Amino acid sequence: MAGKREEQQSATRRDRRRRNAAALAAVCTATAWAAITALVARRGAELTHAAPLVLAAASPRLICSDLTEQRLRNGDLVVTYTGTLCVITAAAVSQASPGPFVRAVAVSLALLTAGAALTLTTGQFGGGDTKLAAVIGLALGPDAWAAPVVAVLYGFVLAAGAVAVRACAAKARRTPRPTTIPMGPFLLAGALTASLTARPA
């Protein structure tokens, strides 16, 4: 009987985490859409500047899956990468200017390589995080070389802050310190921050 009660309580806690994750994803996405749309309007109607909107549109599923399942689904990442690639390709063709496209692809590959190295050497950066970093490189790369790199750095800083807060909370409650943290939401938050502050190349 006690075992069933514990199982029900565990299921209730999981459902509560899923609902909280969904609510957080909705708030983050609404903020991202509003902020990036305002940024696109401010910078002009160039198609290249719409690339971050694809990332913003994909944020709900990415955040929810990472918070509730501790993983970023390959299907979601492939769709996001493909959609972003289509936007910047269309921009390069319509404007007859391949520079932003080349820059975005180069930064994306660089972040993919760096993320893979982190995954292999530290084990603290998952395969999904590596692919998401590549998507961020593709989405923010057309505007500036540094923007995607800064976005990932922002993500690490935000994640480090969250780890510190969770460690302090665990110490206060005398519970085990959490050993893992989903990086996806922090990388996306870093991308939003970088996209709002980046200066065009």
Side-chain angles (χ1 to χ4, degrees), residues 161-178:
V163 168
V165 170
R166 290 180 66 184
C168 291
K171 185 176 181 180
R173 296 174 184 172
R174 296 182 179 179
T175 56
R177 179 182 294 186

Side-chain angles (χ1 to χ4, degrees), residues 108-121 125 130 133:
S108 177
L109 292 175
L111 288 176
L112 183 66
T113 303
L118 279 175
T119 301
L120 293 173
T121 56
F125 203 65
T130 297

